[in-house]
């Protein structure tokens, strides 16, 4: 019987779609004929008759697989494909039967192949030889996007993560489609359509995935309707829905767009707000989002506010160490207070050192737990029972430190407040975290603390830190008015190691790791202006206590040339017509105090400055020639609890300092009236400075910073005038060197006004530039800032701010009025990069007039480098 042209059709379902499988049988007898069975995916062919033995389902025959091969592969491993079929040499199979269909299904379900054929290449009695002929799916060569802007394409490349060379499967296509659509839905494009096609390159078995995006129009929110709201003002509810706002003219900072994810978050925030007001049963019974038109939607929310509840009785169960009255006093909840679960959680576990958990955990009770139970609810009153498990006291066994690859262990360990042998303390752990953050050597966002309880009742404390760059380089240039270009080079090594100077292997580029600070700075403009300075600080002198030792030196040279000659001749051959030099040495020693608390420090220093003027009226008061000597004793009492030096979210800093020179005038006769060069030979004054800064998180990441600064300069007696040294100069960015270099003065910024411009003389009369440049003897300044972080990455901390500030500077105490201030407002941004420090730009709008200098309602741009303390 000749069956070489017989065909039959086998249809089955593969991968959720109909795949037609055809069975082609050709049997060749051993003497003169050759047989072949073809099982593949393709269009059905017209079956022929009669049906041979391989197609006769009524009479299947059993064979033994004697050979099994794979052909058609280019990248896939043939042996792996054979294992996927479930067939192996020696297996007995019945044909036709389940074995052939099962093998094809398994290969197709792997998602690796586009086509599979099972071929019978030889039949030898009961032995059969099979070949699996495959066609591999193409591999991804690239992804292209159409229908969207280039910026959106670049953003999608970061969002859609598919490795080039990966096999293109239906799953990959579907996931890519969902990821692209989700990206645009999160941007407010709810009607986004995504179509993906693959463009094959058969010569290389590659394919390009083309993603066509029709994002449509942004869907705005036309109206939000709150049904069932009675007790809570609607304006408050709308305010809590921060990301779901109605469309209206002039809305800039929170544009109206509907994002499902943000909408769900806002609904949760709304219920939390109701709970905070005492409505513990508040629910959103139903919410409906429906189309208003093709570009906007309406939202209807059905709210059940429920009953408002109050505390009635608060009792404790399981407490043996402390009485109910003591715990109730710490908790701070009184009968009649509004029932607020969020506030209750903060009072129990929120504020280290002041919450309920700190009472136990600061005394070693690591295993303490407290669970609030609503014991009775009657009307609008709730009886609360707090069930306490006190557990056993735990002592610290070991302190483990990980991650400090650069900083020495002893530098970190001396900041740690949890020492072996001490009782476990929650407050000390939180304080340690703050101390490690303020070092500036580690990423404050990645300081990890892990208490590890031990079977013997002790606990190991594991601290994990991540080093960040903290050395800084200042390389800048600027135009200094008639002085010309001024270049600056500064190097600050904030984790220096003096003891390893002789160890050349530790120079990277300088020895580091011991927590010392070395700063070197050079600023110059040829012969006309040069200043050099060097500072060394050891924060732990002796290594046992936080006694800070500092030593600094600076030298400044300023030469004055004839202005006409500067434009007609080279400065190299000119001789100066006047000059000024200032050489200063400072030796300081500070220590940490224990009373009132250990956030306080007391610092003392002595300094000597030598001023040398040669034919230069630097202070515009007739003092042109002479040498002035300034011996000063300074003492500063300060308290600093700021949590993060780069972007503080909480804490405060206060400092009160005084600088005193010897009272030379006390030993002079009353009628002493020397010339200017003798009158200022020994500089005499007393100076008082007060600075305060306070940080508080308003909500989310928004932080409020309030500051106040005051300064007073005086003489010891009425016979002695207040000299020209150490006066206050107010206005602008607060940077020295803006055209006229500030020497022997305190520079204080006031945004919105020109540099060095804010000055009030007696009777508010207009003063000339010379008098204004002398500076004032008393000033005050007030600042309020709202800060919001854009990036908290330690390699580039960025935040934006808006500010209100005011201040003034008076030439005499007769005119001093702390409420007579020059006001301004504006906005700005700050970028902190470890290598360059803090860089900022502000735009301030000055509301008040400076007579003879600046009109009111005038704007100014300001550029700052470094941390501005005042």
């Amino acid at each position: 019987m000749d069956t070489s042209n017989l065909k039959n059709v086998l249809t089955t379902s593969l991968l959720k779609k109909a795949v037609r499988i055809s069975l082609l049988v050709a049997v060749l007898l051993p003497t003169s004929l050759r047989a072949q069975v073809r099982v593949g995916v393709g269009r059905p062919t017209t079956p022929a008759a009669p049906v041979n033995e391989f197609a006769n389902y009524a009479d299947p025959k059993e064979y033994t697989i004697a050979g099994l091969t794979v052909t058609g592969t280019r990248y896939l491993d043939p042996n792996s494909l054979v294992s996927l079929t479930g067939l192996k040499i020696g297996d007995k199979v019945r044909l036709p039967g389940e074995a052939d269909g099962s093998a094809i299904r398994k290969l197709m379900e792997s998602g690796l192949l586009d086509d599979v054929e099972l071929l019978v290449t030889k039949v030898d009695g009961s032995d059969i030889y099979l070949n699996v002929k495959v066609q591999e799916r193409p591999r991804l060569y690239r992804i292209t996007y159409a229908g969207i802007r280039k910026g959106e394409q670049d953003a999608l490349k970061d969002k859609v993560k598919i490795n080039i060379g990966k096999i293109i499967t239906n799953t990959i296509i579907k996931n890519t489609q969902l990821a692209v659509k989700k990206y645009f839905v999160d941007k407010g494009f709810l009607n986004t359509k995504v179509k993906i096609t693959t463009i094959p390159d058969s010569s290389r078995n590659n394919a390009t995935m083309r993603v066509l995006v029709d994002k449509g129009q942004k869907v705005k929110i036309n109206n939000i309707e709150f049904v069932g709201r009675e007790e809570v003002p609607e304006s408050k509810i709308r305010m809590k829905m921060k990301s779901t706002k109605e469309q209206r003219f002039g809305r800039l900072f929170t544009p109206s767009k509907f994002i499902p994810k943000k909408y769900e978050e806002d609904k949760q925030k709304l219920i939390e707000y109701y709970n905070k007001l005492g409505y513990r049963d508040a629910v959103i019974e139903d919410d409906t989002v429906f189309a208003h038109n093709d570009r906007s939607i309406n939202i209807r929310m059905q709210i059940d506010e429920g009953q408002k509840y109050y505390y009635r009785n608060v009792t404790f169960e399981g407490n043996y160490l402390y009485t109910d009255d003591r715990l109730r006093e710490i908790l701070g909840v009184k009968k009649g207070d509004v029932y607020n679960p969020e506030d209750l959680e903060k009072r129990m576990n929120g504020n280290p050192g002041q919450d309920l958990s700190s009472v136990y955990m600061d005394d070693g009770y690591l295993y303490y737990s407290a669970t609030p139970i609503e014991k009775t609810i009657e009307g609008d009153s709730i009886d609360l029972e707090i069930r306490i498990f006190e557990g056993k006291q735990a002592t610290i066994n070991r302190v483990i430190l990980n991650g400090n690859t650069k900083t020495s262990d002893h530098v970190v360990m001396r900041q740690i407040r949890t020492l072996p042998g001490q009782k476990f303390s929650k407050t000390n752990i939180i304080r340690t975290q703050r101390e490690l953050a303020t070092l500036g050597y580690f990423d404050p966002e990645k300081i990890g603390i892990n208490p590890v309880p031990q079977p013997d009742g002790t606990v190991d404390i594991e601290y994990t830190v991540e080093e960040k760059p903290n050395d800084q380089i200042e390389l800048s240039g600027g135009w200094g008015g008639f002085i010309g270009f001024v270049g600056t080079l500064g190097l600050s090594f904030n984790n220096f190691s003096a003891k390893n100077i002789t160890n050349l292997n530790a120079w990277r580029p300088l020895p580091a790791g011991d927590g010392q600070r070395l700063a070197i700075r050079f600023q110059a403009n040829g012969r006309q202006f040069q200043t050099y300075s060097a500072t060394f600080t050891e924060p732990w002198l002796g290594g046992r206590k936080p006694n800070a030792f500092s030593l600094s030196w600076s030298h400044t040279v300023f030469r004055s040339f004839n202005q006409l000659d500067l434009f007609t001749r080279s400065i190299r051959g000119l001789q100066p017509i006047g000059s000024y030099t200032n050489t200063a040495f400072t030796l300081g020693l500070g220590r940490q105090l224990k009373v009132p608390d250990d956030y306080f420090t007391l610092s003392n220093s002595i300094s000597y400055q030598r001023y040398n003027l040669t034919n230069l009226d630097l202070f515009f008061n007739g003092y042109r020639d002479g040498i002035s000597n300034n011996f000063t004793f300074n003492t500063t009492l300060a308290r600093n609890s700021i949590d993060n030096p780069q972007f503080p979210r909480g804490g405060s800093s206060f400092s009160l300092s005084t600088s005193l020179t010897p009272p030379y005038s006390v030993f002079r006769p009353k009628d002493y009236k020397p010339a200017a060069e003798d009158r200022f030979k020994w500089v005499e004054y007393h100076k008082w400075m007060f600075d305060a800064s306070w940080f508080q998180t308003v909500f989310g990441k928004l932080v409020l910073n309030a500051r106040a600064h005051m300064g007073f300069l005086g003489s010891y007696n009425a016979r002695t005038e207040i000299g020209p040294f150490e006066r206050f100069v107010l206005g602008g960015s607060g940077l020295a060197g803006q055209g006229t270099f500030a020497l022997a003065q305190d520079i204080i910024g006031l945004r919105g006004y020109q540099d060095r411009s804010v000055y009030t003389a007696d009777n508010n009369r207009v003063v000339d530039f010379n008098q204004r440049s002398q500076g004032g003897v008393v000033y005050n300044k007030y600042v309020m800032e709202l800060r919001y972080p854009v990036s908290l990455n330690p390699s580039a901390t960025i935040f934006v701010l808006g500010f209100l500030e005011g201040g003034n500077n008076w030439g005499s105490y007769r005119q001093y009025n702390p409420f007579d201030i020059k006001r301004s407002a504006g906005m700005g941004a700050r970028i902190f990069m470890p290598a360059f420090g803090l860089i900022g730009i502000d735009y301030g709008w000055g509301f008040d007039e400076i007579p003879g200098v600046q009109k009111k309602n005038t704007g100014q741009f300001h550029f700052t480098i470094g941390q501005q303390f005042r």
Side-chain angles (χ1 to χ4, degrees):
M1 181 177 59
D2 185 6
T3 60
S4 59
N5 293 322
L6 294 180
K7 298 182 179 180
N8 190 28
V9 178
L10 175 66
T11 304
T12 185
S13 173
L14 297 177
L15 298 178
K16 298 183 179 180
K17 68 180 182 178
V19 178
R20 296 180 178 89
I21 302 178
S22 62
L23 176 63
L24 176 63
V25 180
V27 179
L28 298 179
L29 299 178
T31 55
S32 61
L33 300 176
R34 181 173 301 169
Q36 185 180 69
V37 176
R38 184 186 304 271
V39 181
V41 178
R43 294 181 179 179
T45 58
T46 303
V51 180
N52 73 343
E53 55 183 321
F54 290 103
N56 187 0
Y57 288 92
D59 185 22
K61 293 185 178 181
E62 186 175 85
Y63 296 92
T64 301
I65 300 177
L68 185 60
T69 58
V70 176
T71 58
T73 58
R74 299 183 62 181
Y75 300 100
L76 299 176
D77 180 20
N79 294 327
S80 299
L81 293 179
V82 168
S83 65
L84 285 176
T85 65
L87 304 176
K88 61 180 181 294
I89 296 176
D91 284 354
K92 293 184 181 299
V93 295
R94 297 178 69 85
L95 292 177
E98 177 62 25
D100 51 355
S102 175
I104 293 175
R105 281 197 302 272
K106 290 177 180 178
L107 288 172
M108 292 298 293
E109 288 173 354
S110 70
L112 303 175
L113 305 170
D114 255 351
D115 191 24
V116 178
E117 289 182 301
L118 181 61
L119 307 175
V120 177
T121 59
K122 182 180 178 182
V123 177
D124 187 3
S126 64
D127 291 341
I128 192 169
Y129 294 83
L130 302 177
N131 174 252
V132 182
K133 184 179 179 181
V134 301
Q135 180 181 342
E136 296 180 359
R137 283 184 179 271
R139 293 175 179 267
L140 182 64
Y141 174 65
R142 65 178 177 177
I143 304 177
T144 62
Y145 295 92
I148 54 177
R149 300 190 306 269
K150 185 179 183 305
E152 294 171 328
Q153 295 180 27
D154 294 339
L156 282 174
K157 290 177 183 178
D158 295 332
K159 294 289 184 182
V160 181
K161 300 291 186 181
I162 305 179
N163 295 329
I164 300 299
K166 194 174 182 67
I167 294 174
I168 301 176
T169 65
N170 292 332
T171 301
I172 286 179
I173 293 174
K174 189 64 176 178
N175 289 342
T176 302
Q177 190 177 32
L178 292 174
V180 172
K181 188 170 183 178
K182 181 180 183 301
Y183 172 79
F184 285 103
V185 167
D186 288 346
K187 298 292 183 182
F189 298 93
L190 296 188
N191 301 318
T192 299
K193 298 177 182 178
V194 181
K195 182 180 179 181
I196 296 180
T197 57
T198 56
I199 305 172
D201 181 356
S202 57
S203 63
R204 295 181 293 180
N205 198 37
N206 288 333
T208 297
M209 184 184 292
R210 185 173 184 269
V211 183
L212 177 61
V213 181
D214 179 10
K215 62 183 183 180
Q217 298 289 337
K218 275 190 178 180
V219 175
K220 305 289 186 177
I221 302 173
N222 174 65
N223 179 58
I224 303 176
E225 181 184 3
F226 300 98
V227 180
R229 179 209 58 79
E230 295 180 357
E231 300 297 332
V232 179
E234 186 172 317
S235 60
K236 296 289 186 181
I237 295 179
R238 294 184 183 275
M239 188 180 299
K240 292 302 173 183
M241 301 188 69
K242 300 183 184 302
S243 301
T244 308
K245 300 290 187 181
E246 289 181 353
Q247 184 178 7
R248 74 180 184 191
F249 178 77
R251 189 183 294 281
L252 298 176
F253 298 104
T254 53
S256 172
K257 56 184 177 181
F258 182 76
I259 300 174
K261 181 180 178 181
K262 296 291 186 183
Y263 175 55
E264 294 299 323
E265 292 175 357
D266 283 345
K267 288 196 298 183
Q268 182 61 34
K269 292 176 182 177
L270 180 57
I271 295 302
E272 291 173 355
Y273 178 66
Y274 266 101
N275 295 159
K276 187 176 180 180
L277 298 177
Y279 298 92
R280 66 180 289 277
D281 300 329
V283 293
I284 297 176
E285 292 183 324
D286 182 46
D287 66 295
T288 305
V289 179
F290 55 96
H292 173 68
N293 53 38
D294 59 345
R295 299 183 60 178
S296 63
I297 61 170
N298 292 331
I299 298 175
R300 185 178 185 274
M301 299 178 65
Q302 180 74 40
I303 301 175
D304 182 3
E305 295 178 327
Q307 175 74 49
K308 186 173 184 177
Y309 292 93
Y310 302 86
Y311 289 104
R312 186 169 64 181
N313 298 315
V314 179
T315 59
F316 297 87
E317 180 69 27
N319 53 308
Y320 301 100
L321 297 173
Y322 301 97
T323 65
D324 286 11
D325 290 340
R326 172 60 177 155
L327 295 180
R328 198 176 291 112
E329 177 186 352
I330 296 169
L331 191 65
V333 173
K334 300 181 178 65
K335 183 177 181 178
D337 288 348
V338 173
Y339 181 69
N340 183 350
E342 179 183 336
D343 178 68
L344 178 65
E345 176 61 25
K346 290 180 180 179
R347 293 173 181 270
M348 293 181 63
N349 300 298
N351 193 1
Q354 301 178 16
D355 60 349
L356 195 64
S357 66
S358 295
V359 175
Y360 284 94
M361 299 185 78
D362 286 352
D363 197 27
Y365 291 92
L366 171 63
Y367 309 102
Y368 153 88
S369 65
T371 305
I373 304 295
E374 296 173 356
K375 191 173 181 180
T376 305
I377 301 177
E378 292 184 2
D380 64 352
S381 300
I382 293 179
D383 291 341
L384 191 69
E385 180 180 88
I386 300 178
R387 297 175 183 176
I388 293 177
F389 172 74
E390 295 177 335
K392 297 181 179 179
Q393 281 183 312
T395 58
I396 299 173
N397 178 42
R398 291 188 305 160
V399 175
I400 305 168
L401 181 61
N402 298 317
N404 56 316
T405 56
K406 176 181 177 180
T407 306
S408 301
D409 284 353
H410 73 274
V411 175
V412 185
M413 294 299 294
R414 68 195 185 190
Q415 303 293 334
I416 290 177
R417 302 298 182 96
T418 55
L419 303 178
Q422 292 180 345
K423 293 179 183 178
F424 177 85
S425 172
K426 172 185 172 181
T427 300
N428 285 345
I429 284 182
I430 302 300
R431 179 65 184 276
T432 297
Q433 185 178 30
R434 182 259 177 191
E435 296 297 324
L436 294 179
T438 54
L439 281 176
Y441 309 150
F442 311 114
D443 182 356
E445 305 296 325
K446 296 182 179 179
I447 297 176
I449 303 173
N450 181 29
V452 183
Q454 299 300 310
D456 60 358
T458 62
V459 60
D460 294 343
I461 310 294
E462 183 177 10
Y463 294 96
T464 304
V465 297
E466 182 176 308
E467 298 268 8
K468 70 172 185 177
N470 54 74
D471 295 332
Q472 297 176 4
I473 179 172
E474 179 186 356
L475 184 61
S476 61
W479 189 261
F482 64 86
I483 293 176
F485 180 82
V486 177
T488 302
L489 174 62
L491 298 172
S492 296
F493 301 94
N494 296 313
N495 196 359
F496 184 66
S497 176
K499 71 177 183 181
N500 286 321
I501 289 181
T502 58
N503 182 8
L504 297 181
N505 294 327
W507 285 63
R508 298 176 184 175
L510 286 180
D514 282 343
Q516 299 158 347
R517 184 177 186 273
L518 177 65
I520 303 171
R521 193 171 187 268
F522 170 66
Q523 188 178 47
N525 171 257
R527 295 178 58 204
Q528 204 165 10
F529 172 79
Q530 300 124 39
T531 182
Y532 317 83
S533 65
T535 303
F536 173 78
T537 303
E538 166 56 77
W540 283 65
L541 184 63
R544 294 187 176 184
K545 294 183 179 181
N547 297 324
F549 170 78
S550 62
L551 181 65
S552 64
W553 165 84
S554 67
H555 180 69
T556 299
V557 178
F558 173 72
R559 299 180 179 92
S560 177
F561 293 88
N562 187 296
Q563 301 301 304
L564 295 177
D565 291 342
L566 286 176
F567 293 98
T568 58
R569 299 172 56 188
S570 169
I571 194 172
R572 186 182 300 276
L574 294 178
Q575 294 299 319
I577 60 176
S579 64
Y580 160 88
T581 62
N582 177 16
T583 303
F585 297 91
T586 301
L587 181 67
L589 185 64
R591 63 189 181 93
Q592 190 176 53
L593 303 180
K594 299 296 184 182
V595 178
D597 59 42
D598 56 5
Y599 288 109
F600 278 88
T601 58
L602 179 64
S603 303
N604 299 293
S605 65
I606 55 173
S607 64
Y608 170 72
Q609 295 187 71
R610 178 182 174 90
Y611 308 95
N612 189 345
L613 277 73
T614 303
N615 195 32
L616 181 65
D617 191 4
L618 182 70
F619 302 109
F620 304 101
N621 62 354
Y623 178 31
R624 305 182 61 88
D625 294 276
I627 295 176
S628 299
N629 301 278
N630 186 357
F631 284 99
T632 309
F633 171 77
N634 176 275
T635 183
T636 301
L637 179 66
R639 185 182 188 274
N640 187 340
S641 61
I642 291 176
D643 58 353
N644 185 338
Q646 272 73 55
F647 186 77
R649 297 180 179 87
S652 60
S653 66
F654 299 90
S655 70
L656 176 63
S657 66
T658 179
S659 299
L660 307 172
T661 65
Y664 303 109
S665 60
V666 174
F667 307 103
R668 295 172 181 166
K670 294 183 179 181
D671 56 352
Y672 182 73
K673 295 181 180 180
E677 58 270 20
D678 293 325
R679 187 166 70 253
F680 299 126
K681 183 175 183 180
W682 300 100
V683 178
E684 177 182 341
Y685 61 85
H686 58 88
K687 187 175 185 179
W688 303 81
M689 305 289 287
F690 174 76
D691 301 284
S693 183
W694 175 73
F695 295 89
Q696 177 64 49
T697 300
V698 180
F699 56 82
K701 297 181 180 180
L702 189 66
V703 176
L704 171 66
N705 175 219
R707 303 196 301 270
H709 309 277
M710 299 179 183
F712 304 90
L713 181 68
S715 60
Y716 289 106
N717 55 68
R719 304 192 311 271
T720 306
E721 65 176 308
I722 300 176
F725 300 96
E726 299 299 322
R727 286 179 174 245
F728 307 111
V729 177
L730 185 64
S733 62
L735 292 177
Q738 305 293 319
T740 301
F741 291 91
L743 306 170
Q745 293 173 324
D746 258 328
I747 310 299
I748 298 102
L750 187 64
R751 292 167 288 189
Y753 297 93
Q754 296 181 20
D755 293 322
R756 308 170 61 89
S757 66
V758 181
Y759 181 85
T760 299
D762 287 348
N763 300 317
N764 290 316
R765 69 178 186 275
V766 177
V767 297
D768 60 17
F769 170 79
N770 292 346
Q771 186 177 357
R772 193 179 304 277
S773 296
Q774 293 180 25
V777 297
V778 56
Y779 92 95
N780 52 238
K781 174 183 172 182
Y782 315 102
V783 183
M784 289 187 67
E785 286 184 354
L786 281 174
R787 301 178 172 188
Y788 187 85
V790 177
S791 168
L792 294 177
N793 191 317
S795 61
T797 300
I798 305 172
F799 62 89
V800 294
L801 59 89
F803 66 85
L804 296 171
E805 67 182 34
N808 208 343
N809 185 24
W810 292 270
S812 70
Y813 284 96
R814 288 190 298 270
Q815 289 295 108
Y816 174 60
N817 180 358
F819 303 104
D820 176 20
I821 58 175
K822 307 300 181 184
R823 302 159 299 163
S824 67
M827 61 183 63
R830 297 290 184 272
I831 302 176
F832 179 84
M833 293 183 290
F836 298 97
L838 191 66
I839 301 172
I841 185 169
D842 296 289
Y843 181 79
W845 187 266
F847 295 109
D848 299 299
E849 182 180 4
I850 306 294
V853 178
Q854 179 176 320
K855 296 181 179 180
K856 63 180 179 179
N857 297 324
T858 304
Q860 299 281 338
F861 277 103
H862 305 287
F863 179 74
T864 59
I865 300 176
Q867 184 70 49
Q868 304 297 302
F869 295 103
R870 299 188 176 97

